[in-house]
Amino acid sequence: MGGPGDPPEGTPEGAPGGGGEDEYRSVVFDESFVRAARLQEFSAQERLTDHAPAVRRRPPVRRGFSRQALILVLLIAVAFGTAIYMGVRHPYQPRATSPTEPLRMTVIPLAPQARVPGAADPERLYENSPAAHFRIGADGITMPATRRTEHFSDSQVVTSLIVAKEYLVASALDPQVLAGSTVEPVRRLLDSDQLDQFDQSFDRPTADGRHAPTGWLVRFDPSRAQLADTRIRVQGTLQAAEFDSGTLEVVAAHTFVYALRPAGPRAGAEASLFTVRRELHFRFDQDDLRTRQAEVVVSYVQAGPLACADDATNHLRPLLAGQQDRAGGPAGTDPYATGGATALCGSLAQSTQPKV
């Protein structure tokens, strides 16, 4: 006999037996599956009334965004909006800068009107000269009161003045630079766009207003003179102002007074004073302030006592105690004064010499 669930005729041929595993029992049609079906059978009443087909197509189930997806979309929108805002309003956006100018330089030798005075004690020379009240070394390069400008902060103005002072110290007070032993302390403070001009000036010195080493720094011919006193006297001013909206300009005007003796071991050789008046114009853009380097665009130098016939392009070749320049020059020029000489060679005003 067949089982209670079998048809009266028994199990059809080829069908699994009553004791076998029904191949469809593993498929479970739960409620969610039924609801998701795309086809739905009409009821008997609906079929009788409307003569409709046995089944109808169900509208697709509308599913909304999950909460996590909505949060992710919002975060992406906020991040994108922030990026746009920062790109428009960020205060440190790169700005267009003008090309770096080459340094324009003028070196005016000043010839003495009489023999150069000398003394065994350099201090005696200083005490009897206009440099008697000058400060010594870097102390003579005083920092002015600073304030922000329209486009530069207080700290940026201070940075420009500090770098300008560092350049003055390296180029006019460093004993090794003065002796012609090195130029590196000066070179490392220059804007990278001026390094080619700087290097050409020392590789191939030329009196063309662009490539004179003495326009970049002070250095003496080591075969002629050496420092008799490392306490160099200095006096001058630093002034900072905006050159344009993207550039700060610092003007440095200083007088340096050196005590020199003849080079080599000459016992009893007297010292004499040598005066250099320098006016330098520095410019700083945002990159220069960040790297603490400077563009030197103008260098105006008066130096003496020098012989007008001597070339002051590569080295300064001072006239020392007891020497004089017979050729001389035009009317006397005072390197302690603020005015500038325009001649190719001037004469050193006698009032600038120590009274010994």
Side-chain angles (χ1 to χ4, degrees), residues 300-318:
Y300 182 83
V301 180
Q302 301 172 13
L306 290 171
C308 287
D310 282 345
D311 183 7
T313 300
N314 194 12
H315 293 89
L316 299 176
R317 308 186 70 223

Side-chain angles (χ1 to χ4, degrees), residues 65-78:
F65 283 114
S66 67
R67 179 177 298 178
Q68 292 86 349
L70 183 60
I71 293 175
L72 180 60
V73 170
L74 289 175
L75 287 175
I76 292 174
V78 171

Side-chain angles (χ1 to χ4, degrees), residues 203-281:
D203 294 340
R204 297 181 297 277
T206 308
D208 60 356
R210 292 289 189 273
H211 300 94
T214 50
W216 296 97
L217 50 81
V218 177
R219 68 175 184 177
F220 302 110
D221 184 343
S223 67
R224 175 169 293 199
Q226 63 186 12
L227 288 176
D229 187 350
T230 58
R231 296 173 298 171
I232 300 161
R233 282 11 181 216
V234 185
Q235 180 172 277
T237 60
L238 285 171
Q239 295 179 330
E242 280 195 16
F243 180 76
D244 56 36
S245 62
T247 312
L248 274 174
E249 182 173 66
V250 175
V251 177
H254 291 81
T255 299
F256 300 84
V257 186
Y258 305 86
L260 303 176
R261 279 197 176 98
R266 291 179 55 183
E270 291 187 327
S272 59
L273 297 186
F274 188 87
T275 305
V276 177
R277 170 77 179 180
R278 302 176 83 200
E279 182 175 313
L280 302 179
H281 292 220

Side-chain angles (χ1 to χ4, degrees), residues 82-99:
T82 301
I84 294 176
Y85 175 83
M86 294 297 289
V88 173
R89 298 296 302 274
H90 199 284
Y92 298 106
Q93 281 204 79
R95 66 177 73 189
T97 56
S98 56

